[in-house]
């Protein structure tokens, strides 16, 4: 079987599995799990075969006409493009999706809607794989939008709860807010380039002999960036992602690690020459990344819900990838995307086991119960591995990929307008973008280590038992049998499978550069010392704050506010910032004031105009017609004598009028 055929089958298999699951899953419950797991596992095997055959060499390409557009120069094609980036990202998507499907067979084993859930996860996976392999912007957009609708249904899986319903609607609307300019940007880019083919656009922009330039590179780049900000949860469109934790934990793992939020970063990596063509766009991207990574890290340090800590962590790590793209190093960005995908999937699925065992999402409640190290040792130790990778501690995977980002930023900053690799072409990168990314990246490394340490201390063996936590009644993610239940074996197996790449993937940097444009990811002395140093400082300071707070927890207990957690080191570290950070720096309130309320006011004004003007006009026109009809109906009695009487009366009136007119005329 040819490599092209294998690549085509990769998104087709989970799509067929989703279709079969929706049609047969409820009717034949015994088929729901095989239809969910087997197609995804087979697609994962095919992604590995495609990656092995591609081998970091020339891209595998194929195209077939799909539909005419009315413009012969801009056809929509079912086009395939598998280079090193696409091959590795597809493997990540397949592995994480397979782990999520296997994990879900245990986590949602008693869920009555498991069949539809599993089918939607398969469809979600197929849509992301379509985005990864597609070489046509319109076909890519199809996968992009299918992921949006899948996220709506999956985040709202527990639709009985108000939080899930609100979160699913919020995720859909906020991402659509970015998708509108994204769609406009796609058409503007295709109009300038004369094609929807991504590879053709990149080739024209990077070729030294074509002389092709975009007419409005900054406008196109910023329009595309708006869609990416929505999909990849970057400021100011990041507000949907923390609330999306109302969905099942396996869904969170899938969205955060390998689909949806990764799609935005991946699309920018594919179209990086478009962004590099505008220095202003790179600076804007760097500023957005800096604000996002610092703000999200501070917010993560203040959250009590274990899943919201990880959600804000994802926002910050996506900002690292965006920052790498802002300094025109797509190799570092995709390297961190793949590394992050492995350890973030591990963290979310381990958090699912923690919730399953503890019966609550609250770090305070888990800490008061003495942690979960003894009750769920597999979850604790695998989460420890994931947190070390998140904090970028050597030799875990996060260390190497984060160092690649910081090394690229250092090069761009110190070179004063360096030459960065953008799809094979050497392009100037503003030094300002490099400095912004470098400073923000180092500060975020400190904060990341701080909130990772805080999370570990709250759930680990050092947590001090005070009282058994009650299951959170409003926690939509806690399974019905979660509190104190034994963890299904398949869930623990999946955790250790994901722990392996979190440990070893970073060490593979020496053999993978061919997949990443041949770039070297060996850590530089300056950034590795600085980043590791600040991470250690963040971890040690958090530990010291935790020791201080636990020692004085009883004396500082807030009797007026029992929900307050005096043993939380985040309160001490953040000080007056804690309240604002816990609410995400009031981003939701700002969005409500700036967008929601004006929109509601405009809607009320339109409704008033519709009722008082439009409805009055329509009602009046109808009423007048009805009145005329009534008068005409009454005049048509069918009585001949009435008609003759009216005719005679009319004749008399006309005769009198004629006489009067003649008399008046004669006088004149």
């Amino acid at each position: 079987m040819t490599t092209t055929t294998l690549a085509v089958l990769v998104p087709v298999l989970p799509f067929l599995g989703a279709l079969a699951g929706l049609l047969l899953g409820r009717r034949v419950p015994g088929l729901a799990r095989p239809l969910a797991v087997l197609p995804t596992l087979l697609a994962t095997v095919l992604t590995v075969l495609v990656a092995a055959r591609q081998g970091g060499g020339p891209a595998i390409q194929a195209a077939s006409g799909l539909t005419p557009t009315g413009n012969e120069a801009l056809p929509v094609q079912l086009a395939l493009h598998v280079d090193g980036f696409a091959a590795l990202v597809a493997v990540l998507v397949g592995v994480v999706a397979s782990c999520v499907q296997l994990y879900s067979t245990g986590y949602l084993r008693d869920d009555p809607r498991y069949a539809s859930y599993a089918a939607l996860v398969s469809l979600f996976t197929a849509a992301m794989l379509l985005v990864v392999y597609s070489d046509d912007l319109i076909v890519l957009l199809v996968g992009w939008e299918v992921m949006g609708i899948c996220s709506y249904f999956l985040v709202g899986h527990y639709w009985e709860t108000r939080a899930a319903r609100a979160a699913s609607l919020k995720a859909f609307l906020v991402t659509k807010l970015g998708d509108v300019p994204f769609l406009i940007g796609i058409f503007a880019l295709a109009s300038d380039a004369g094609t929807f083919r991504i590879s053709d656009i990149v080739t024209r922009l990077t070729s030294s002999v074509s002389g092709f330039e975009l007419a409005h590179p900054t406008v196109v780049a910023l329009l595309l960036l708006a869609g990416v900000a929505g999909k990849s949860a970057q400021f100011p469109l990041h507000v949907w992602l923390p609330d999306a934790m109302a969905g099942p934990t396996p869904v969170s793992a899938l969205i955060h690690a390998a689909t949806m939020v990764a799609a935005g970063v991946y699309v920018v990596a594919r179209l990086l020459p478009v962004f590099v063509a505008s220095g202003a766009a790179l600076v804007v991207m760097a500023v957005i990344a800096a604000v996002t990574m610092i703000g999200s890290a501070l917010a993560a340090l203040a959250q009590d819900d274990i899943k919201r800590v990880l959600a804000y962590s994802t926002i910050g790590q996506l900002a690292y990838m965006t920052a790498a793209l802002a300094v025109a190093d797509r190799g570092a960005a995709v390297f961190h995307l793949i590394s992050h995908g492995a350890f973030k999937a591990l963290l979310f699925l381990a958090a699912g086991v923690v919730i399953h065992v503890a019966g609550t999402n609250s770090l305070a409640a888990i800490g008061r119960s003495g942690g979960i190290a003894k009750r769920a040792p597999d979850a604790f130790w695998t989460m420890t591995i994931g947190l070390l990778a998140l904090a970028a501690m050597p030799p875990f995977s996060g260390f190497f990929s984060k160092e690649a980002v910081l090394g690229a930023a250092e090069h761009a900053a110190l070179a004063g307008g360096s030459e960065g690799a953008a799809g094979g072409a050497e392009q100037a990168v503003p030094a300002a973008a490099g400095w912004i990314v470098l400073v923000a990246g180092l500060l975020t490394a400190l904060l990341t280590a701080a909130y990772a340490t805080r999370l570990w201390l709250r759930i680990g063996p050092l947590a001090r038992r005070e009282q058994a936590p009650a299951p959170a009644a409003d926690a939509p993610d806690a399974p019905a049998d979660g509190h104190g239940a034994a963890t299904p074996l398949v869930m623990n197996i999946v955790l250790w499978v994901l722990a392996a790449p979190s440990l070893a993937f970073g060490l593979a940097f020496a053999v993978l550069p061919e997949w990443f444009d041949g770039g070297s990811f060996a850590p530089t002395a300056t950034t590795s010392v600085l980043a590791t140093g600040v991470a250690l400082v963040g971890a040690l300071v958090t530990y010291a704050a935790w020791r201080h707070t636990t020692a004085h927890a009883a004396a500082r207990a807030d009797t007026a506010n029992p929900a307050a957690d005096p043993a939380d080191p985040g309160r001490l570290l953040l000080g007056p910032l804690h309240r604002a950070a816990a609410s995400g720096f009031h981003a939701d309130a700002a969005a409500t004031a700036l967008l929601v309320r004006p929109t509601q006011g405009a809607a009320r004004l339109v409704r008033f105009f519709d009722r008082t003007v439009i409805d009055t006009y329509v009602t009046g026109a109808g009423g007048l017609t009805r009145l005329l009809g009534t008068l005409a109906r009454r005049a048509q009695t069918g009585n001949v004598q009435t008609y003759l009487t009216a005719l005679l009366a009319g004749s008399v009136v006309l005769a009198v009028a004629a006489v009067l007119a003649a008399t008046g005329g004669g006088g004149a």
Side-chain angles (χ1 to χ4, degrees):
M1 191 176 293
T2 65
T3 306
T4 301
T5 304
L6 293 177
V8 170
L9 288 174
V10 166
V12 169
L13 286 173
F15 172 76
L16 293 177
L19 188 62
L22 289 173
L23 294 175
L24 301 175
R26 295 288 296 272
R27 297 178 182 178
V28 189
L31 290 177
R33 283 168 174 77
L35 288 174
V37 175
L38 295 180
T40 307
L41 280 174
L42 184 55
T44 302
V45 172
L46 295 184
T47 63
V48 175
L49 290 176
V50 170
R53 293 188 182 185
Q54 197 278 331
I60 301 167
Q61 290 187 316
S64 175
L66 187 60
T67 180
T69 62
N71 183 348
E72 294 183 1
L74 285 173
V76 175
Q77 295 179 308
L78 196 59
L80 177 77
H81 180 90
V82 184
D83 56 7
F85 292 107
L88 291 179
V89 173
V91 171
L92 169 70
V93 174
V95 169
V96 172
S98 298
C99 289
V100 165
Q101 290 282 28
L102 286 168
Y103 182 97
S104 298
T105 60
Y107 194 81
L108 297 172
R109 58 186 174 184
D110 298 322
D111 194 304
R113 293 192 296 274
Y114 170 79
S116 60
Y117 159 87
L120 286 169
V121 170
S122 295
L123 183 59
F124 208 147
T125 305
M128 182 61 187
L129 290 169
L130 181 64
V131 169
V132 172
Y133 279 170
S134 176
D135 194 36
D136 189 280
L137 286 170
I138 299 300
V139 177
L140 182 148
L141 185 65
V142 171
W144 182 277
E145 295 301 336
V146 170
M147 281 194 291
I149 194 64
C150 287
S151 69
Y152 171 78
F153 287 116
L154 288 171
V155 171
H157 180 75
Y158 298 116
W159 54 265
E160 301 91 344
T161 65
R162 182 178 180 181
R165 294 195 300 270
S168 62
L169 185 60
K170 183 177 183 179
F172 184 79
L173 292 178
V174 173
T175 53
K176 293 309 113 180
L177 189 63
D179 286 353
V180 173
F182 184 74
L183 178 60
I184 298 172
I186 284 177
F187 284 115
L189 176 60
S191 178
D192 272 2
T195 179
F196 285 115
R197 291 286 296 273
I198 298 173
S199 57
D200 289 346
I201 294 171
V202 171
T203 300
R204 293 181 187 182
L205 285 172
T206 56
S207 174
S208 58
V209 297
S210 68
F212 171 75
E213 293 183 358
L214 293 173
H216 305 93
T218 302
V219 173
V220 171
L222 293 181
L223 286 170
L224 295 174
L225 186 59
V228 170
K231 215 68 164 182
S232 291
Q234 298 296 282
F235 177 84
L237 299 181
H238 66 286
V239 293
W240 67 270
L241 193 58
D243 289 353
M245 298 303 96
T249 297
V251 170
S252 301
L254 187 65
I255 291 176
H256 288 244
T259 61
M260 190 75 170
V261 295
V265 172
Y266 177 76
V267 168
V268 176
R270 290 285 303 274
L271 292 171
L272 187 55
V274 175
F275 294 85
V276 173
S278 169
L282 292 180
V283 174
V284 169
M285 198 187 304
V287 171
I288 289 174
V291 172
T292 304
M293 67 173 70
I294 295 173
S296 62
L298 290 170
L301 194 55
Q303 303 302 310
D304 180 59
D305 188 315
I306 186 173
K307 289 179 66 179
R308 289 182 73 89
V309 174
L310 298 178
Y312 277 110
S313 168
T314 297
I315 295 172
Q317 297 307 305
L318 290 166
Y320 266 109
M321 303 170 207
T322 305
L325 295 169
V327 293
D329 195 327
R330 68 174 189 170
V334 177
F335 185 26
H336 194 53
L337 187 155
I338 297 172
S339 171
H340 169 263
F343 66 72
K344 186 53 61 72
L346 171 62
L347 286 171
F348 266 108
L349 296 182
V353 174
V354 172
I355 296 168
H356 185 85
V357 171
T360 178
N361 295 29
S362 171
L363 289 175
I366 296 171
R368 285 195 296 266
S369 70
I372 51 88
K374 292 182 179 179
R375 289 181 289 168
D378 294 278
F380 171 71
W381 288 112
T382 53
M383 181 168 271
T384 300
I385 293 171
L387 290 173
L388 287 169
L390 172 63
M393 293 297 179
F396 297 90
S397 61
F399 168 76
F400 296 99
S401 58
K402 192 174 290 186
E403 287 302 314
V405 175
L406 295 176
E410 178 193 21
H411 180 68
L414 298 181
S418 68
E419 303 294 319
E426 297 295 320
Q427 301 286 347
V429 177
W435 281 112
I436 292 170
V437 170
L438 182 60
V439 173
L442 289 172
L443 178 57
T444 305
L446 184 147
L447 294 171
T448 301
Y451 69 70
T453 303
R454 169 181 174 264
L455 193 157
W456 186 84
L457 290 170
R458 304 314 305 277
I459 68 169
L462 300 181
R464 299 182 180 181
R465 177 183 294 273
E466 295 179 13
Q467 62 186 38
D474 60 345
D477 194 60
D481 63 339
H483 185 51
T487 305
L489 178 62
V490 67
M491 294 167 64
N492 287 330
I493 292 174
V494 167
L495 295 184
W496 286 109
V497 169
L498 288 171
S502 299
L503 277 167
F505 178 73
L507 297 176
F509 74 94
V511 298
L512 288 178
E514 289 304 321
W515 273 276
F516 297 102
D517 287 337
S520 173
F521 297 115
T524 61
T526 304
T527 56
S528 60
V529 170
L530 282 175
T532 305
V534 297
L536 287 173
V537 168
L540 292 174
V541 169
T542 304
Y543 177 74
W546 177 80
R547 289 291 302 270
H548 177 78
T549 54
T550 52
H552 300 83
R556 297 189 305 106
D558 189 351
T559 56
N561 181 17
D565 182 14
D568 183 5
R571 292 179 178 273
L572 179 62
L573 294 173
L574 290 172
L577 275 179
H578 184 272
R579 185 182 296 273
S583 65
F585 295 100
H586 308 293
D588 283 324
T592 300
L594 296 175
L595 294 175
V596 177
R597 288 178 183 171
T599 302
Q600 291 175 337
R604 286 192 292 268
L605 180 62
V606 170
R607 184 172 55 187
F608 173 79
F609 181 79
D610 179 66
R611 289 181 176 179
T612 58
V613 178
I614 304 299
D615 284 358
T616 301
Y617 171 78
V618 173
T619 304
L624 179 60
T625 303
R626 217 168 27 245
L627 176 62
L628 293 174
T630 300
L631 293 175
R633 186 173 63 253
R634 290 182 178 179
Q636 301 297 323
T637 62
N639 191 324
V640 177
Q641 292 179 346
T642 302
Y643 295 157
L644 291 175
T645 301
L647 180 61
L648 178 60
S651 299
V652 171
V653 170
L654 288 175
V656 171
V659 171
L660 291 176
T663 304

